[in-house]
Amino acid sequence: MRKVAVGAAVVCAEAVCAAAALVVRHRMKSSGRWAKVISILKELQEKCETPTGKLCQVADAMTVEMHAGLASEGGSHLKMIISYVDNLPTGDEKGLFYALDLGGTNFRVLRVQLGGKEKHVINQEFEEVSIPPHLMVGTSEALFDFIAAALAKFVATEGEDDNLSPGKQRELGFTFSFPVSQSSIASGTLIKWTKGFSIEDVVGQDVVGELSKSLERVGLDMRVAALVNDTIGTLAGGRYNHPDVIAAVILGTGTNAAYVERAHAIPKWHGLLPKSGEMVINMEWGNFRSSHLPITEYDQTLDVESLNPGEQIFEKMISGMYLGEIVRRVMCRMAEEAALFGDTVPPKLKIPFVLRTPHMSAMHHDSSSDLKVVGSKLNDILEISNTSLKTRKVIVELCDIVATRGARLAAAGILGILKKLGRETVRERENQKSVIALDGGLFEHYSKFRDSLESTLNELLGEVSEKIVIEHSNDGSGIGAALLAASHSHYLEVEEP
């Protein structure tokens, strides 16, 4: 009997030892996995670092590319497109003007009554219209006739206060946010469609001409006074409210910048110099690239797998379309190599662009003690449940690294523009401020991104930062286009004394 008892005790002891060994092995495996998670995070942090010196190099590279793009067509990654906008609004504009903002699956029509210096914008109304999917892949005539009919319907709602002077034709500012080659303030040929549109008979045609034909067909007497993109609209809206606005930057789903250049500093401009001596340049800065950009393996694979490999490198590092996707790619590696979310990689995590930047922003801004928002976003979007607090903390840190790099690089881009204009240094007896108008959902809604951009600009500019103002210019693509129709009105010369 005693032998049996001893044997049982030995078996029990062995079982306990085996269980203990299993726990130790599990802990070692777990700690090994966690070490790998931290290693991936630290490696990302190092590769995304943007010390002041590096940002200054990025800014200098931006300035060099700007010079090259202004010197000749195709001389730079930056297109530096001449916009033919040489008169920005001054605040003196008066009258009734319209705008059409076409940049996606919806378009907007706006009506603005301007009252000059004293009254500024007296009245502003708009309407948003969805484009039926079949018109996005149909014919030019079908699309523009649909838009013209919506405009005519909107014009028909003019009230008694919407005063159009007798004998005057209505004038329209047309924001067209697709690649065009412009030949004047009110003409431009479509280079290619993006954003789900594919209407072949418009490519290579003047989009203003196509719209004008449709306006005629629906019996609407309206002239397109200005063809602009959303960035130039933002610049116009900013200048209307603040005479010291020198540039505009869009930080939304995509990104771009436009600024006011001295006409004599544009070697590729062969026409007569404008009376104002100025010309607005559409930089198309999303296509900027430089060896100084802190590009990681995640950026490289994202680019290779994108619809436009090798293009828009800067945009892919700083804009709302891509920030969430970069975070997803890092999380995916953590799941594959370090089992961050368990022994299998969550299937949803493998889907490109499933994690959007608004989701990333919500997680990044989570200030609850248990990071509840992070937990719910992981569960709702990626179907990852029961995450530990330390896992959630890693996700917040990851969002911070990616957002901070993007914001700091955007600030470096702005510094590049200021350097090109000679506004980055303090000059004696010069009190003038330089205002940058910013718009876009990323800048407006992602406050940690916005705060990082502004603090980085202060860090880069030092004492000059007191003279540089970042101003949110809301809805530039709408009202800005109407203001440009006003500043390029046919009737300006007649009214001037």
Side-chain angles (χ1 to χ4, degrees):
M1 189 70 186
R2 193 172 164 189
K3 280 183 181 177
V4 172
V6 169
V10 168
V11 169
C12 278
E14 284 176 351
V16 168
C17 285
L22 203 64
V23 168
V24 168
R25 269 201 303 276
H26 177 73
R27 280 185 182 162
M28 284 175 69
K29 192 176 178 183
S30 181
S31 71
R33 284 173 170 178
W34 191 250
K36 180 64 177 172
V37 168
I38 300 306
S39 161
I40 291 169
L41 190 69
K42 292 296 176 203
E43 180 192 18
L44 177 75
Q45 193 168 27
E46 285 167 15
K47 287 184 176 174
C48 286
E49 275 181 358
T50 47
T52 307
K54 183 180 273 290
L55 292 179
C56 287
Q57 289 175 320
V58 170
D60 288 339
M62 180 72 81
T63 308
V64 168
E65 288 285 310
M66 288 171 76
H67 278 284
L70 290 173
S72 63
E73 294 298 344
S76 162
H77 291 301
L78 300 178
K79 287 194 173 74
M80 303 299 284
I81 297 165
I82 294 168
S83 70
Y84 295 90
V85 172
D86 55 5
N87 282 315
L88 283 167
T90 60
D92 291 326
E93 294 78 14
K94 289 182 179 180
L96 182 68
F97 296 93
Y98 281 82
L100 165 64
D101 181 7
L102 174 62
T105 52
N106 297 334
F107 66 87
R108 286 184 309 151
V109 285
L110 297 93
R111 175 169 45 238
V112 181
Q113 183 81 43
L114 302 174
K117 273 276 192 282
E118 298 300 313
K119 298 178 180 175
H120 263 231
V121 177
I122 298 169
N123 193 27
Q124 183 184 345
E125 298 166 89
F126 77 92
E127 201 170 286
E128 192 156 316
V129 183
S130 290
I131 300 172
H134 70 276
L135 291 181
M136 294 171 66
V137 291
T139 64
S140 169
E141 190 173 308
L143 175 67
F144 284 106
D145 279 4
F146 178 78
I147 292 168
L151 251 173
K153 192 176 167 189
F154 184 62
V155 168
T157 65
E158 278 180 6
E160 288 177 15
D161 298 331
D162 298 316
N163 301 315
L164 183 72
S165 302
K168 282 190 178 179
Q169 190 181 23
R170 289 180 182 84
E171 294 181 295
L172 173 88
F174 184 10
T175 301
F176 186 74
S177 298
F178 299 92
V180 292
S181 172
Q182 250 177 286
S183 47
S184 74
I185 182 63
S187 64
T189 55
L190 176 66
I191 297 167
K192 64 175 180 179
W193 286 107
T194 55
K195 307 174 195 178
F197 283 81
S198 181
I199 305 169
E200 285 309 308
D201 63 350
V202 192
V203 177
Q205 299 301 312
D206 176 12
V207 292
V208 172
E210 296 299 301
L211 176 62
S212 299
K213 282 187 280 186
S214 290
L215 292 173
E216 263 182 61
R217 277 195 292 270
V218 299
L220 182 56
D221 187 22
M222 182 178 274
R223 183 185 83 89
V224 179
L227 173 69
V228 296
N229 71 5
D230 54 356
T231 317
I232 292 167
T234 298
L235 179 59
R239 175 67 73 92
Y240 184 73
N241 293 310
H242 205 307
D244 293 329
V245 165
I246 56 163
V249 175
I250 300 277
L251 285 162
T253 305
T255 184
N256 193 15
Y259 74 104
V260 183
E261 182 58 275
R262 296 149 297 198
H264 64 77
I266 310 171
K268 68 182 181 183
W269 171 258
H270 300 303
L272 290 170
L273 289 180
K275 283 183 194 171
S276 65
E278 296 181 334
M279 180 63 72
V280 174
I281 299 294
N282 167 19
M283 290 176 63
E284 292 293 338
W285 87 346
N287 204 45
F288 171 68
R289 66 170 70 186
S290 162
S291 59
H292 298 298
L293 290 173
I295 294 173
T296 68
E297 65 193 84
Y298 310 103
D299 301 302
Q300 288 168 339
T301 55
L302 185 155
D303 177 49
V304 168
E305 294 167 20
S306 70
L307 295 171
N308 54 348
E311 296 176 22
Q312 301 297 104
I313 301 300
F314 195 51
E315 180 169 82
K316 287 169 184 170
M317 297 177 79
I318 72 170
S319 82
M321 176 83 183
Y322 301 99
L323 296 181
E325 173 62 5
I326 296 167
V327 169
R328 182 198 68 83
R329 285 170 179 267
V330 182
M331 284 170 64
C332 213
R333 186 181 164 204
M334 288 174 167
E336 287 166 353
E337 297 183 17
L340 179 63
F341 305 112
D343 291 333
T344 56
V345 178
K348 281 277 183 81
L349 187 57
K350 294 178 181 177
I351 302 170
F353 294 96
V354 69
L355 186 71
R356 294 170 53 242
T357 301
H359 305 143
M360 167 189 173
S361 172
M363 294 193 291
H364 193 181
H365 290 99
D366 188 356
S367 56
S368 61
S369 58
D370 59 350
L371 297 177
K372 190 162 73 178
V373 176
V374 177
S376 68
K377 288 291 175 193
L378 293 175
N379 189 39
D380 297 347
I381 298 148
L382 301 169
E383 293 175 3
I384 300 169
S385 55
N386 303 320
T387 47
S388 66
L389 182 58
K390 69 177 184 175
T391 296
R392 295 176 189 185
K393 283 181 176 175
V394 163
I395 302 303
V396 174
E397 180 72 14
L398 172 54
C399 294
D400 188 64
I401 292 168
V402 174
T404 300
R405 180 188 69 163
R408 288 176 68 79
L409 288 175
I414 292 170
L415 176 62
I417 297 171
L418 292 170
K419 284 186 170 223
K420 172 69 181 73
L421 296 174
R423 302 277 187 129
E424 86 289 7
T425 53
V426 175
R427 295 181 181 181
E428 282 183 47
R429 297 185 301 280
E430 195 172 283
N431 235 356
Q432 192 181 15
K433 287 195 181 308
S434 299
V435 181
I436 315 288
L438 265 108
D439 197 14
L442 181 64
F443 178 78
E444 188 177 353
H445 302 301
Y446 200 148
S447 57
K448 282 186 184 287
F449 184 98
R450 182 176 65 246
D451 294 346
S452 178
L453 185 153
E454 291 176 349
S455 64
T456 303
L457 210 46
N458 290 340
E459 172 192 324
L460 292 170
L461 290 165
E463 59 179 336
V464 190
S465 62
E466 293 172 20
K467 305 282 185 207
I468 310 297
V469 180
I470 296 288
E471 198 165 86
H472 182 212
S473 177
N474 203 6
D475 188 31
S477 60
I479 192 167
L483 292 168
L484 285 165
S487 64
H488 290 82
S489 168
H490 254 358
Y491 306 106
L492 278 181
E493 300 295 324
V494 179
E495 289 170 3
E496 281 175 6

